[in-house]
Amino acid sequence: MRRFTTALAGAALAGLALTTVAPLATATTAGPAPAAVVAQGGGLSVDHTVVHPGEQVRIHIDHGPEALSWISSGSFVRDSEHPMGADEGVAHVVSDVDGSADAIATIGDVAPGQYLVHARVGGGSVPGVTITVQ
């Protein structure tokens, strides 16, 4: 069962990555990103898009009446098990009131590059925001 869950999580993450390619390409041609970036149509935002290992990222998500399942990224510290078995760290939700949640995640000791911060709300995935680890 674990293999099926892992495969399902991988397929979901791969599909999410493919759905965010076009918006990211257009965002980079418009100039530098602002300090806080909101995913198009997703209600997910981060307070910093350029981070370093050991720094914390504050995340906000407006998820409406649907339940927030998780917020994760390959750049986050892996200090707890991912609910879907993905090889990613999960943000710690500090507040979730009236369809609006705030979370904090610490950037792990990962290779420099771009990483997707994404979430699962209700039965679907929320479009993510890309952060750059330097």
Side-chain angles (χ1 to χ4, degrees):
M1 185 63 156
R2 178 74 173 175
R3 288 184 184 165
F4 174 74
T5 304
T6 304
L8 182 61
L13 292 174
L16 180 61
L18 292 174
T19 61
T20 60
V21 172
L24 293 176
T26 57
T28 57
T29 58
V37 175
V38 178
Q40 294 177 325
L44 176 74
S45 63
V46 295
D47 66 342
H48 293 83
T49 57
V50 178
V51 295
H52 297 88
E55 288 183 350
Q56 285 191 331
V57 175
R58 290 179 184 10
I59 305 151
H60 179 81
I61 183 166
D62 291 319
H63 58 83
E66 297 289 332
L68 172 63
S69 297
W70 46 259
I71 303 169
S72 69
S73 174
S75 67
F76 295 168
V77 168
R78 290 161 182 84
D79 59 359
S80 62
E81 186 175 337
H82 192 285
M84 293 297 291
D87 187 22
E88 294 188 339
V90 179
H92 300 280
V93 176
V94 294
S95 172
D96 190 353
V97 179
D98 296 328
S100 181
D102 293 299
I104 295 176
T106 302
I107 303 301
D109 188 19
V110 296
Q114 292 189 328
Y115 294 85
L116 182 66
V117 176
H118 55 101
R120 178 85 173 175
V121 173
S125 297
V126 173
V129 172
T130 299
I131 60 173
T132 301
V133 177
Q134 293 187 334

